[in-house]
Amino acid sequence: VDMHFLRQIRDMPGAPEEVHIYLAALALENLNNPTEALLELAEIPPQSPLAERALRWRVQIMEEAGRIQECLPIAREYAEKNPGSAEMQVIYSQVAGIVGETETAVAVLRDAYAKWPDNPSVAFYLASYPDTLKQRDEAMKLMEVVVSVEPKTALAPNSAGYLPAADGPDRDRAHDL
């Protein structure tokens, strides 16, 4: 695929937003240019159907470049502009957690869990925070949500199994998961 051709398409009025995804991929793969990739991904607005993919990719690129702190306001903006998206809230909480703002991360996830109690991503990430893990019963309930919604995911049963491993009071419960 010719980047010059895609840039011409991008610069046309009414160009599809997907062209930014393609140009970002080519910038990374062919040019090894994360800066250009980030510029293309930044062109996808928070309300776009492609916003979640663009934000996840921006976070990944910036984390690999050691610039994750710069993602926090971006992730916050996307979450605020998409209050009906559990995944945008999860991404924001993940970035907040990575940069050390654990209280923000947990608060965002608790709010998301109140809205989407059956969402496995929300439940899993909430149960994964040390703040929550100190509350063994709550963490186990959250992992049970994940397992009941997505029984084939390996992370939740493993995490649920580790929760009681130290003390053993819920070993049978964890085994049943």
Side-chain angles (χ1 to χ4, degrees):
V1 177
D2 182 12
M3 286 190 74
H4 178 71
F5 176 70
L6 286 175
R7 286 181 182 135
Q8 286 178 327
I9 293 173
R10 174 197 63 198
D11 295 339
M12 294 171 58
E17 291 177 342
E18 289 86 349
V19 75
H20 296 294
I21 297 287
Y22 298 131
L23 284 167
L26 290 171
L28 279 177
E29 296 297 322
N30 294 354
L31 304 177
N32 193 25
N33 187 340
T35 301
E36 186 173 338
L38 287 169
L39 290 172
E40 291 297 338
L41 294 170
E43 292 297 318
I44 298 173
Q47 297 86 355
S48 166
L50 299 173
E52 181 184 335
R53 182 188 314 173
L55 180 58
R56 284 192 185 282
W57 207 359
R58 288 172 79 180
V59 169
Q60 178 185 345
I61 293 167
M62 293 179 90
E63 185 174 21
E64 289 172 3
R67 299 171 46 195
I68 191 67
Q69 189 72 36
E70 295 173 44
C71 271
L72 189 60
I74 297 167
R76 181 182 306 119
E77 175 190 5
Y78 276 63
E80 288 172 354
K81 290 189 176 180
N82 293 285
S85 169
E87 290 310 312
M88 289 296 190
Q89 308 312 309
V90 168
I91 296 169
Y92 174 38
S93 73
Q94 288 175 308
V95 173
I98 291 168
V99 302
E101 294 193 15
T102 306
E103 288 180 22
T104 298
V106 171
V108 168
L109 288 170
R110 286 192 187 285
D111 289 346
Y113 187 69
K115 290 181 188 175
W116 303 286
D118 293 330
N119 183 292
S121 293
V122 172
F124 179 79
Y125 286 106
L126 181 56
S128 298
Y129 276 96
D131 167 72
T132 306
L133 290 177
K134 291 178 187 170
Q135 300 165 16
R136 182 179 310 268
D137 286 340
E138 180 183 7
M140 285 293 289
K141 286 177 187 172
L142 290 167
M143 288 303 174
E144 287 170 342
V145 167
V146 176
V147 172
S148 70
V149 175
E150 291 190 22
K152 294 187 181 193
T153 189
L155 294 176
N158 285 342
S159 296
Y162 289 127
L163 288 173
D167 300 331
D170 291 323
R171 195 165 296 172
D172 292 338
R173 183 174 168 197
H175 184 268
D176 289 343
L177 284 175

